[in-house]
Amino acid sequence: MNKLHTGSVYPWQTELERFLEQLEITRNRVEDSWTRQRKLTMLEKLVRAYTLHQDETGAIIDPHSGSERYYSTPSYALAAAVLVKEGRHDLLESAAAALTHSIACVVEEKAPDQHPDFFPIMMMGAYRLLKHLLPEQATAWKQQLSRIEPEQTYIFTMSKMKNPNRMINWNAIMMSGEFLRAAEGLAADAEWMEAYIRSYHLPRFTGLGLYQDGPLDRPNSPFAYDIVTRFHLGVMLENGYDGGCALELRDHLRRGALSSLLALSPHGEIPPRGRSAQHQWNEAAAAFVFTTHAQQAYTAGERGLAGAFRRAADLCWQAISRWQIDDGKLHIVRNHYSSEARHGFEVYSNHTCYSLWTAAVLAHTLLYGEGIERITPASIPAEIGSRVLETDGWFQTVIATVDGQQMLVQTSVNDPYNIPGIVRIQQTSLPSLMGPSSAGHADRGFTGFAEGDIFPLSYSPAWQTEDGKWHSLSEGIPGTLEFDRDGGIDPQDGGGSVQVERSSASDGATDFTLLWSGPFPGVREIRTHYRQMRGKIEVEYELQGNIQHVGALIPLMAYDGRERSVIHHVMSAGEETESIRVEYAGASLEVIPTTEGTNVVWPEELTSVACRNGLLKGARLECTGSRISFIIRLPE
């Protein structure tokens, strides 16, 4: 593969090279049904669902709130314009009306919900596609677009914020569109962007090429805002950005694309950490990243890598398609609750906006991916081979995969929004939500739920102190400061640490141990050991401290908003052993204690725990001593 231009070593280089070697040796080529035509059909169905909600001004009206929300209309304009380019000429008038309205919203400073920063990339994308078809309207559009003054028009600028910590994803999103405006000759120049990129965005990238959103001194690092920022900066590069930061930015984006490829689940989903997790637009942005880097790799002669990127993009389309309903709209978060229920929505999540932003990003993916079908899809890292990956920066996640199976362990010990422990298990043979696919929370942060209790529930160690109270690692370590959902957390607050004590991966297995240091109630240190094989995860916890009993919290998928699981407490005939079996969506999963004398207990506080995917039900394994172990058995 081509070497990265930066002098530093890519942290996952060894794992990447092993994957590419295995891909070459096995010649594992896969066939999938995600043709360009199928993608267009999915996009068209989604866009036409909202054509019905366009008013006489061109605005898209959200059917749930009865008003125009956020950047729904420019997103619609771009997605509809791409469909016009693909021959759906009956959408031309509708796309043009949406563009006219969107431009007026920005120029007149009337953007819905005060989100003008998100408009320019969509407006400029639609303008470039429609201007030759409607030259008279294009003249008016051009005049209006030329009036924009970025430092005054948009919100996340230094002129407005006067705070470098606020130059987050919004600023990069705005710049991507402003670069397109400059490229069209509708702005004086794009030189002013260099200072923003150099001072506020390049410093946020980790060695893995992941973008850390949030204040520069303590970014909160959601994976959603990593991938979406890289999408926008990628659009700039795809459109010829060659300023003073271009070489370094290109290296960061290549690293990030490789890291996202290695971290992608076998179901085509990015890791769930942080706000806006499991919203469909996460995977839409990832599809763009994978599509553009597939073509770059192909051009560079990296055919195996290109095939893996192509497959990753297709899996992202597939992940989104699972949540498209018959009328074309999406469940914008991965559960089956009604949109009105807003289960798993953030306080800012809006059904129309996030459905159409997903549509617009998928439209961008088609627009910049016209040559991807020449690339033969190949397996992604989560489908073949074994590896253990530790993220850098503030992403605090360990990712272990083996032959179509992946588990994620979050390692933040003082973040009530991103609790520690195994937070996701996915396998190709299981429904994507069953593992489960997300954990509970100690603090709901931005997220709202239609039902269920807020409780920190993940696969994690538990223990009973001498006063008879039960505690768990998933509770984390309380900080001295009140949790700030906007500003994130200081990882030093409250003390405590975690390190990968040992890690290995071999054919068909991964094996790693994490050492967690307190202060925890009654406990000084915790070792969590995970050994994973296809169809089985062996877990062992060892605690050092003054405790009465040791335990393990077990999160079980209970309800997705449509279907309830059946949870069995199994007592083996003739033996004093207990286990748990979950049946959901035609599949089953078992949790089997392997420490003698272990009991399965069902604490009342774990009866109904809210998570993004619906409701979890928690069990607790309990036994005497300081060690406990169990097996999570999955279909092979």
Side-chain angles (χ1 to χ4, degrees):
M1 60 173 291
N2 291 346
K3 295 297 182 182
L4 298 167
H5 293 293
T6 55
S8 59
V9 175
Y10 174 59
W12 291 351
Q13 184 70 26
T14 300
E15 289 83 359
L16 175 65
E17 290 176 355
R18 286 174 180 165
F19 163 67
L20 294 174
E21 288 171 4
Q22 184 170 23
L23 199 61
E24 184 63 30
I25 292 170
T26 59
R27 299 192 179 277
N28 193 328
R29 300 295 185 260
V30 296
E31 295 297 331
D32 61 41
S33 58
W34 281 97
T35 62
R36 182 174 180 82
Q37 185 55 52
R38 183 180 178 187
K39 294 171 183 176
L40 278 168
T41 299
M42 175 180 157
L43 177 64
E44 182 175 1
K45 188 176 179 182
L46 176 55
V47 170
R48 289 189 184 278
Y50 290 96
T51 305
L52 303 175
H53 298 286
Q54 188 173 35
D55 71 10
E56 65 280 359
T57 71
I60 303 299
I61 304 302
D62 175 54
H64 303 293
S65 63
S67 61
E68 184 183 9
R69 301 305 306 274
Y70 298 93
Y71 34 91
S72 301
T73 304
S75 295
Y76 175 87
L78 182 278
V82 169
L83 290 172
V84 170
K85 176 181 179 293
E86 296 293 333
R88 281 62 167 180
H89 298 294
D90 63 305
L91 289 171
L92 176 59
E93 183 179 347
S94 176
L99 177 57
T100 298
H101 177 83
S102 297
I103 295 172
C105 282
V106 173
V107 172
E108 297 171 14
E109 298 187 4
K110 296 179 180 179
D113 301 300
Q114 297 184 317
H115 273 62
D117 303 50
F118 291 73
F119 277 56
I121 188 171
M122 306 302 178
M123 294 190 310
M124 291 308 305
Y127 169 77
R128 296 170 98 183
L129 292 169
L130 300 178
K131 65 178 182 176
H132 300 299
L133 300 174
L134 299 167
E136 186 174 334
Q137 280 187 264
T139 299
W141 291 334
K142 183 176 180 179
Q143 291 173 346
Q144 290 284 82
L145 288 167
S146 299
R147 294 172 54 190
I148 296 172
E149 295 291 339
E151 290 288 336
Q152 299 305 314
T153 300
Y154 303 114
I155 293 176
F156 277 70
T157 64
M158 284 298 289
S159 296
K160 293 280 185 71
M161 292 290 178
K162 305 185 188 307
N163 181 355
N165 276 338
R166 300 301 286 161
M167 297 303 100
I168 55 172
N169 70 86
W170 281 52
N171 181 262
I173 289 169
M174 175 271 288
M175 281 197 304
S176 65
E178 279 299 301
F179 177 79
L180 296 181
R181 195 168 69 94
E184 284 291 308
L186 304 180
D189 58 60
E191 291 183 7
W192 61 269
M193 298 180 188
E194 296 300 312
Y196 278 105
I197 297 173
R198 175 67 63 191
S199 300
Y200 309 125
H201 296 297
L202 292 183
R204 295 179 181 276
F205 283 98
T206 72
L208 289 171
L210 304 178
Y211 181 91
Q212 300 180 105
D213 200 49
L216 285 165
D217 58 342
R218 51 176 183 171
N220 52 46
S221 299
F223 279 105
Y225 292 97
D226 156 54
I227 195 69
V228 80
T229 306
R230 288 191 281 120
F231 154 69
H232 283 91
L233 295 173
V235 171
M236 287 180 63
L237 287 172
E238 288 292 313
N239 281 277
Y241 167 70
D242 62 355
C245 299
L247 187 61
E248 187 174 351
L249 181 59
R250 191 174 297 279
D251 286 335
H252 284 310
L253 296 190
R254 177 170 167 81
R255 287 169 179 256
L258 294 170
S259 299
S260 291
L261 177 66
L262 286 160
L264 193 70
S265 87
H267 282 291
E269 298 180 21
I270 69 171
R273 172 188 169 83
R275 66 187 180 93
S276 293
Q278 299 208 56
H279 285 57
Q280 308 299 349
W281 57 260
N282 294 192
E283 282 64 37
F288 176 89
V289 169
F290 293 139
T291 296
T292 53
H293 282 84
Q295 295 180 119
Q296 292 173 25
Y298 186 87
T299 301
E302 302 168 325
R303 299 302 171 87
L305 181 60
F309 275 135
R310 157 77 194 273
R311 170 72 169 163
D314 290 352
L315 285 173
C316 289
W317 280 87
Q318 185 169 306
I320 298 168
S321 73
R322 295 189 189 101
W323 298 95
Q324 187 170 31
I325 58 180
D326 290 342
D327 68 359
K329 296 175 183 175
L330 292 173
H331 289 285
I332 66 167
V333 180
R334 291 193 165 91
N335 64 61
H336 290 287
Y337 285 81
S338 68
S339 299
E340 291 84 355
R342 295 183 58 83
H343 188 92
F345 283 37
E346 310 297 41
V347 294
Y348 48 76
S349 298
N350 174 268
H351 183 269
T352 299
C353 172
Y354 276 171
S355 288
L356 286 171
W357 197 22
T358 301
V361 178
L362 292 176
H364 265 111
T365 302
L366 288 168
L367 191 61
Y368 292 94
E370 291 185 345
I372 197 171
E373 289 200 332
R374 63 183 172 169
I375 301 171
T376 302
S379 296
I380 66 168
E383 293 177 313
I384 61 170
S386 305
R387 59 198 58 84
V388 179
L389 305 168
E390 183 182 7
T391 57
D392 60 359
W394 291 51
F395 290 90
Q396 299 174 298
T397 305
V398 178
I399 304 161
T401 60
V402 52
D403 298 329
Q405 184 173 296
Q406 184 188 76
M407 60 178 287
L408 269 63
V409 179
Q410 283 184 174
T411 59
S412 48
V413 294
N414 68 340
D415 185 344
Y417 194 52
N418 300 291
I419 65 171
I422 303 177
V423 296
R424 168 180 285 175
I425 298 171
Q426 288 194 342
Q427 190 204 74
T428 52
S429 301
L430 282 177
S432 62
L433 302 187
M434 187 170 186
S437 186
S438 64
H441 300 273
D443 189 304
R444 71 173 66 234
F446 289 91
T447 313
F449 300 99
E451 57 181 335
D453 299 321
I454 303 303
F455 195 92
L457 179 57
S458 64
Y459 285 101
S460 61
W463 62 93
Q464 187 183 39
T465 49
E466 293 181 336
D467 59 5
K469 294 182 179 179
W470 277 94
H471 306 273
S472 72
L473 176 63
S474 60
E475 295 172 3
I477 299 172
T480 60
L481 304 173
E482 185 177 351
F483 173 60
D484 181 351
R485 70 181 189 184
D486 291 297
I489 52 95
D490 178 352
Q492 306 303 318
D493 187 27
S497 64
V498 59
Q499 64 184 68
V500 179
E501 195 171 55
R502 63 186 181 89
S503 170
S504 65
S506 57
D507 290 343
T510 61
D511 195 315
F512 65 100
T513 299
L514 302 179
L515 175 62
W516 313 74
S517 299
F520 303 108
V523 171
R524 297 183 301 277
E525 287 186 347
I526 302 171
R527 278 183 173 82
T528 59
H529 178 212
Y530 312 93
R531 178 170 171 76
Q532 179 179 208
M533 294 144 281
R534 172 74 180 187
K536 181 170 69 171
I537 300 171
E538 299 174 350
V539 182
E540 181 181 51
Y541 302 141
E542 179 184 1
L543 284 66
Q544 294 184 13
N546 299 316
I547 62 175
Q548 287 190 356
H549 292 88
V550 65
L553 290 187
I554 309 296
L556 307 166
M557 184 62 195
Y559 182 54
D560 64 10
R562 182 181 66 186
E563 182 172 353
R564 296 190 183 276
S565 66
V566 178
I567 299 174
H568 301 273
H569 183 165
V570 180
M571 306 290 291
S572 298
E575 302 178 23
E576 295 183 0
T577 59
E578 306 175 38
S579 62
I580 302 167
R581 186 174 73 252
V582 184
E583 297 172 354
Y584 168 76
S588 65
L589 175 151
E590 293 180 283
V591 178
I592 306 167
T594 52
T595 301
E596 187 175 352
T598 299
N599 298 316
V600 177
V601 178
W602 303 91
E604 184 177 352
E605 64 269 22
L606 303 183
T607 300
S608 180
V609 175
C611 75
R612 290 192 188 277
N613 305 126
L615 299 177
L616 302 174
K617 182 178 176 65
R620 186 170 63 226
L621 308 183
E622 300 178 4
C623 70
T624 58
S626 60
R627 295 189 182 190
I628 190 168
S629 60
F630 59 94
I631 293 172
I632 306 168
R633 190 175 297 281
L634 314 166
E636 293 188 50

